[in-house]
Amino acid sequence: MPNLQETLDLSSYVALGDSFTEGLNDPGLDGAFFGWADRLAGMLAQGRPRGEFRYANLAVRGRLLDQIAAEQVPQVQRLQPDLVTLCAGGNDILRPGSDPDEVAERFESAVARLADSAGTVLICTGFDTKDVPLLKHLRGKIATYNGHMRAVADRNGCKVADLWSLRSVQDRRAWSEDRLHLSPEGHQRVALLAARSLGLRTEEDPEAPWPAARVLSAADQRRENIQWAREYLLPWVGRRLRGESSGDHVEPKRPELMPL
């Protein structure tokens, strides 16, 4: 089956973003998080001589769009990669009173800066949150933001990984226990979608059916929701109220283009 190098000459890749791209809740062998971007880099490196493909991941959990634009985008201008992925703005959209139109304008400004420094730019839409507690109330804002993302891609010649239409991640098993970050299998599904968005024909299908799962009773679902709120939701809300971020004092896990 043909690989990506037959259609695009990519030998370097830089990933930008927040916890989604850092790879939270997809533990690697070295104790660091792995994630969809690392998985995508591995797919892109296949078929190349060992060490020829270089990869950097500058994403840091909790980062807002303006922080990504200030801290990470200038590094792309220095590194000049063949490919850059930018998935950002989700943390901004989650904030009360945020305006998806205004966030999208700032996102496009970042994309315009990247277009001069990278051969190919891939961006991501947001996930469909219709079945996610609390976040389902933000579904309209996310849909509006997604419409802007597609327009930004059209105007700037970007590739798009459409996470909203990825039906396989509607399964609970695509998400970790905190319901905010993907599980390892969820990260793999997104990596496959990103690869296909770039033109790679993967043997695995990002929409492959999940195995049959046990159906929870209403009582079990309530117990799970209460436990989730206690362990994950309340601490998350508390950090927001205190103005804290999970990314405080966290550095990028792979700040330079290094061979895989």
Side-chain angles (χ1 to χ4, degrees):
M1 187 169 290
N3 63 33
L4 188 61
Q5 275 67 39
E6 296 179 15
T7 57
L8 293 173
D9 184 18
L10 300 174
S11 62
S12 56
Y13 165 35
V14 175
L16 311 181
D18 49 32
S19 60
F20 169 61
T21 301
E22 185 185 347
L24 256 64
N25 297 356
D26 182 12
L29 295 177
D30 60 356
F33 289 115
F34 200 46
W36 70 269
D38 291 28
R39 293 169 181 268
L40 174 62
M43 295 175 190
L44 298 176
Q46 289 179 4
R48 285 188 171 273
R50 183 178 178 85
E52 184 177 305
F53 186 85
R54 296 177 301 145
Y55 168 57
N57 190 319
L58 309 181
V60 176
R61 68 198 74 173
R63 288 299 191 262
L64 297 169
L65 177 56
D66 286 348
Q67 293 174 308
I68 293 168
E71 300 168 4
Q72 300 175 25
V73 170
Q75 298 305 310
V76 172
Q77 296 170 319
R78 175 178 64 85
L79 296 170
Q80 298 283 311
D82 295 328
L83 169 68
V84 60
T85 57
L86 174 63
C87 302
N91 288 327
D92 297 73
I93 296 298
L94 291 178
R95 297 206 162 201
S98 62
D99 180 355
D101 301 333
E102 187 273 333
V103 176
E105 288 183 6
R106 291 188 281 116
F107 183 91
E108 185 162 16
S109 295
V111 168
R113 292 166 61 192
L114 292 173
D116 295 330
S117 306
T120 299
V121 177
L122 181 144
I123 65 176
C124 301
T125 67
F127 292 101
D128 187 350
T129 59
K130 64 179 180 179
D131 296 320
V132 183
L134 295 182
L135 296 186
K136 62 184 177 182
H137 301 295
L138 298 176
R139 192 178 185 224
K141 288 176 65 174
I142 296 170
T144 299
Y145 189 61
N146 286 348
H148 284 300
M149 292 299 96
R150 297 182 185 96
V152 167
D154 288 343
R155 287 192 293 265
N156 294 274
C158 303
K159 306 285 187 180
V160 181
D162 190 2
L163 302 177
W164 180 278
S165 66
L166 187 61
R167 297 184 301 275
S168 63
V169 295
Q170 297 301 320
D171 191 289
R172 282 280 297 277
R173 288 168 288 183
W175 297 89
S176 62
E177 291 183 353
D178 69 8
R179 304 186 186 181
L180 293 172
H181 301 101
L182 294 168
S183 66
E185 180 61 24
H187 278 287
Q188 178 67 7
R189 302 285 181 131
V190 171
L192 290 168
L193 174 69
R196 290 193 172 193
S197 300
L198 289 168
L200 176 62
R201 293 175 58 192
T202 62
E203 293 185 7
E204 295 180 76
D205 183 357
E207 294 284 25
W210 291 81
R214 180 175 68 91
V215 178
L216 294 178
S217 67
D220 287 339
Q221 290 181 21
R222 284 194 296 273
R223 279 192 292 270
E224 277 200 358
N225 288 339
I226 292 171
Q227 182 177 358
W228 166 76
R230 182 186 305 117
E231 293 186 15
Y232 300 105
L233 177 62
L234 292 179
W236 181 79
V237 171
R239 287 196 300 272
R240 292 297 180 275
L241 294 176
R242 294 189 299 272
E244 298 175 357
S245 169
S246 58
D248 290 344
H249 314 299
V250 176
E251 298 294 329
K253 64 180 181 182
R254 196 178 176 96
E256 298 292 337
L257 281 172
M258 298 183 293
L260 284 178

